[in-house]
Amino acid sequence: ATSSSDLIMHLFGSGVDGTPAPGEFGAEQAILVRNQAAKAQVEAVISSGLVLTVYEAKGLEFQDVLLYNFFTDSPAPASKWRAVYEALGDEDAP
């Protein structure tokens, strides 16, 4: 996928004939977002799937979790995520 929207459409979007694709996500999977604005963005793109803010998901358990723009939407500057980038060995980090 070339963008996060493309990935979401690939996982949850419409089938070839325009009908909703069954998708692989179900009750054991969720998309987590940082805020209501991001939640609205995802819900506008997908036809199925559980989309929750971090606050809404508190105390719930899922087998698979997709984080949508989790670091991009973070109020913390990129320099604060440096430890994460270094641990992942990501030389392309900002």
Side-chain angles (χ1 to χ4, degrees):
T2 58
S3 72
S4 54
S5 295
D6 290 340
L7 176 60
I8 290 171
M9 285 303 294
H10 176 73
L11 294 173
F12 300 101
S14 298
V16 186
D17 60 355
T19 60
E24 295 294 323
F25 275 52
E28 296 290 322
Q29 293 82 23
I31 299 174
L32 292 187
V33 296
R34 281 195 170 274
N35 53 45
Q36 291 294 332
K39 182 177 178 177
Q41 281 182 324
V42 173
E43 290 177 334
V45 174
I46 67 170
S47 58
S48 64
L50 183 59
V51 183
L52 301 167
T53 63
V54 174
Y55 182 77
E56 293 168 338
K58 185 175 174 150
L60 301 177
E61 294 183 15
F62 302 99
Q63 291 292 325
D64 305 298
V65 175
L66 175 69
L67 300 176
Y68 174 77
N69 279 352
F70 198 77
F71 299 105
T72 304
D73 290 345
S74 172
S79 62
K80 296 292 182 184
W81 294 108
R82 178 63 49 200
V84 174
Y85 293 133
E86 289 175 1
L88 296 174
D90 189 350
E91 285 93 31
D92 295 329

